[in-house]
Amino acid sequence: MQSTRVTQLLIPGLLGLAMVAGSAQAAAPLRPPQGYYAPVDKFKTGDNSDGCDAMPAPYTGALQFRSKYEGSDKARATLNVQSQQAFHDSTADITKIERGTSKQVMQFMRDGRPQQLDCTLNWLSAWAQADALMSKDFNHTGKSMRKWALGSMASAYLRLKFSDSHPLATHQEQAQKIEAWFGKMADQVVSDWDNLPLDKTNNHSYWAAWSVMATAVATNRRDLFDWAVKEYKVGAGQVDADGYLPNELKRQQRALAYHNYALPPLAMIASFAQVNGVDLRQENNSALKRLGERVLAGVKDPDTFERKNGKQQDMTDLKVDAKFAWLEPFCSLYTCAPDVLERKHKMQPFKTFRLGGDLTKVYDPNHEKGNKGL
């Protein structure tokens, strides 16, 4: 009788503690992997020979762009050189802010010059002020540019937001303006890419989810985090038992290249989820690991993909080291084989503006020295 009474008294207290613990966990601020906390290498003074490039004009027009595969059949694998040039011309300012943000943040994290930071924040603030890239008038290529640009800018910004050097401490007004714009853009990206039919869900959806994950952490928005995780699970669910993505196999001679292109956003999302208490490594029987291993095997022996879809593979993209930047988060999630690590070290440092700059400095700083550009 006495023990029952004690239990009755204890249970509400224990439940209360559990609820507090649960709410504390739910309220824990979103954070990036540990490498994003790195301080600025050194703070230099004196003239900065690089200067600040002319700011690209904020892009506020319709997001209606020609595709580089214009006129291609449904495989979307044959390049149209004329439309590719038209695409590059019309999106030049967007690409400039993507590349420029990553480059300037990397330079600031290396040199700590105030003008490098000012340059970056002034660019982003001006685009935020103009409500750039928010047009509701868009085609598929346009909404693709929006999510790529958001991912590039938000993931570079994370280095500033979380650095132990606290570079944004004296720029709070600009930071708030930039983060509000990122958040609005992420909401639009979610609207652009949510709940697509599976036969239309491919690498574009994964890159959209990555842009939303980077923004979720930059703005501490759990709703965006949850959406990115949901989209990751859809992507992981598409990986078949042999590590192939059916929608990327349709890309004929570029199937292997597009399998490789699907890996960076998926690996980054899984890495960011992991540090926030969501383990996606085992999703669909370790789908991400299976996909990574399939691509690495395909690079060694492209005939495996030719046997699968009947097309000799175009290996052009796969000769570019930066295309394998996904190995940094991937090898932090899984134990990579010695030959994979050896290959990774030969290709480092991995610098890619679509993932925010120097991923080797974030994930494997002991191997980050080198001068390969973005």
Side-chain angles (χ1 to χ4, degrees):
M1 192 76 170
Q2 183 68 24
S3 63
T4 304
R5 176 66 180 149
V6 170
T7 303
Q8 287 174 337
L9 289 169
L10 280 174
I11 284 175
L14 291 171
L15 285 173
L17 283 171
M19 288 172 68
V20 168
S23 63
Q25 185 178 16
L30 294 171
R31 57 183 296 260
Q34 190 57 40
Y36 287 87
Y37 290 85
V40 172
D41 287 351
K42 61 180 70 171
F43 288 90
K44 295 181 179 176
T45 55
D47 290 339
N48 175 17
S49 57
D50 291 334
C52 182
D53 291 343
M55 185 183 72
Y59 189 93
T60 57
L63 294 167
Q64 294 276 353
F65 304 122
R66 292 172 66 178
S67 166
K68 64 182 180 180
Y69 296 122
E70 193 172 88
S72 176
D73 61 17
K74 64 182 179 181
R76 310 293 285 167
T78 305
L79 200 64
N80 179 327
V81 177
Q82 187 179 1
S83 63
Q84 183 184 34
Q85 188 58 52
F87 166 76
H88 285 314
D89 291 346
S90 57
T91 60
D93 284 329
I94 303 173
T95 303
K96 186 175 179 183
I97 197 168
E98 286 188 90
R99 288 181 177 275
T101 301
S102 278
K103 181 182 175 185
Q104 288 158 192
V105 169
M106 284 197 301
Q107 288 173 338
F108 173 74
M109 293 305 296
R110 183 191 67 212
D111 298 338
R113 297 185 191 276
Q115 54 266 54
Q116 293 165 333
L117 179 62
D118 290 342
C119 187
T120 305
L121 296 179
N122 289 342
W123 280 25
L124 293 175
S125 296
W127 280 59
Q129 185 72 36
D131 223 18
L133 302 173
M134 288 300 302
S135 176
K136 299 287 178 67
D137 181 4
F138 57 84
N139 59 8
H140 186 277
T141 306
K143 71 176 184 176
S144 298
M145 280 303 295
R146 172 160 39 219
K147 50 89 168 147
W148 279 323
L150 176 60
S152 300
M153 293 183 290
S155 54
Y157 180 83
L158 288 171
R159 300 285 303 281
L160 304 176
K161 169 98 175 180
F162 288 91
S163 169
D164 287 339
S165 297
H166 305 294
L168 299 180
T170 54
H171 297 81
Q172 280 302 296
E173 191 175 334
Q174 281 182 303
Q176 287 167 10
K177 187 186 298 182
I178 292 163
E179 289 172 27
W181 175 54
F182 285 168
K184 278 174 61 180
M185 212 185 320
D187 287 335
Q188 185 60 46
V189 169
V190 169
S191 172
D192 291 346
W193 298 95
D194 196 31
N195 292 327
L196 294 182
L198 277 180
D199 65 339
K200 302 287 187 188
T201 300
N202 59 14
N203 66 82
H204 280 294
S205 289
Y206 317 152
W207 281 97
W210 159 240
S211 77
V212 170
M213 174 60 85
T215 305
V217 175
T219 58
N220 193 31
R221 279 186 53 187
R222 184 70 57 169
D223 60 323
L224 296 178
F225 176 89
D226 291 344
W227 186 84
V229 167
K230 173 184 80 93
E231 289 297 303
Y232 174 93
K233 290 180 177 181
V234 172
Q238 292 180 292
V239 180
D240 72 15
D242 297 317
Y244 293 102
L245 285 164
N247 289 342
E248 307 306 336
L249 278 175
K250 296 173 187 173
R251 303 304 289 267
Q252 297 189 356
Q253 74 272 19
R254 293 177 58 75
L256 174 54
Y258 271 100
H259 275 71
N260 188 63
Y261 186 61
L263 275 160
L266 292 174
M268 291 297 283
I269 293 166
S271 169
F272 273 56
Q274 181 81 6
V275 80
N276 287 291
V278 179
D279 190 347
L280 296 172
R281 290 175 297 179
Q282 307 309 317
E283 192 68 29
N284 185 18
N285 300 313
S286 303
L288 178 63
K289 186 170 189 283
R290 205 159 60 248
L291 176 61
E293 290 172 349
R294 170 54 59 198
V295 166
L296 292 173
V299 172
K300 279 185 181 175
D301 180 13
D303 290 350
T304 56
F305 275 75
E306 184 175 350
R307 287 193 293 272
K308 189 72 176 174
N309 76 352
K311 294 290 180 180
Q312 184 175 357
Q313 294 300 297
D314 180 346
M315 301 297 286
T316 309
D317 276 359
L318 298 154
K319 291 181 169 64
V320 180
D321 288 350
K323 302 284 187 183
F324 294 89
W326 58 267
L327 283 169
E328 294 293 14
F330 185 86
C331 291
S332 78
L333 291 163
Y334 303 104
T335 302
C336 285
D339 64 313
V340 175
L341 289 176
E342 183 182 355
R343 180 172 180 190
K344 178 167 89 94
H345 291 152
K346 281 181 181 173
M347 292 191 285
Q348 287 169 326
F350 291 105
K351 296 179 182 179
T352 173
F353 69 94
R354 287 266 156 85
L355 300 176
D358 190 342
L359 282 197
T360 300
K361 191 156 189 175
V362 169
Y363 286 96
D364 192 7
N366 291 334
H367 293 90
E368 61 94 8
K369 297 302 179 189
N371 296 307
K372 291 180 189 176
L374 280 168

